[in-house]
Amino acid sequence: MNLFKLYSRDILGLSVIGFFILSILGMIFATIALFNYASGNAALAVSNAHLAVLHIAFIIPALIIGHYINRPSWVAAVDKIKFAREIKQS
């Protein structure tokens, strides 16, 4: 694994975190839509439900990217690079 792949794996990991945050935001919108529907405001509930579905859909790319970057060969290569850097610093 070269340095480019190492940094691209880190950037992809950060994007996974961002996608999960957007998914949680979708769950918050779904909760707000439920409260709006229970209070009788159907138009606002539909609007928030639409936002919830759009944001919860971000869980799919997060799971795909997370599966892609956690391959055993990549994890072992990253551990090897970190171990080499620790020995080099000592």
Side-chain angles (χ1 to χ4, degrees), residues 14-84:
L14 290 174
S15 68
V16 168
I17 292 170
F19 285 145
F20 274 120
I21 290 171
L22 287 173
S23 298
I24 291 179
L25 184 63
M27 291 182 195
I28 292 170
F29 280 133
T31 306
I32 292 171
L34 181 68
F35 287 143
N36 285 331
Y37 183 74
S39 68
N41 195 349
L44 196 55
V46 169
S47 174
N48 282 326
H50 182 259
L51 285 173
V53 169
L54 290 177
H55 282 83
I56 290 174
F58 280 110
I59 195 77
I60 296 168
L63 293 174
I64 292 170
I65 293 171
H67 179 71
Y68 178 71
I69 65 174
N70 283 325
R71 286 190 264 166
S73 61
W74 278 28
V75 173
V78 169
D79 289 340
K80 183 179 172 183
I81 289 172
K82 286 181 181 178
F83 183 70

Side-chain angles (χ1 to χ4, degrees), residues 1-11 74 81:
M1 177 179 271
N2 57 13
L3 210 52
F4 176 73
K5 279 190 176 181
L6 178 69
Y7 287 124
S8 65
R9 183 178 183 265
D10 290 342
I11 291 171
W74 278 28
I81 289 172

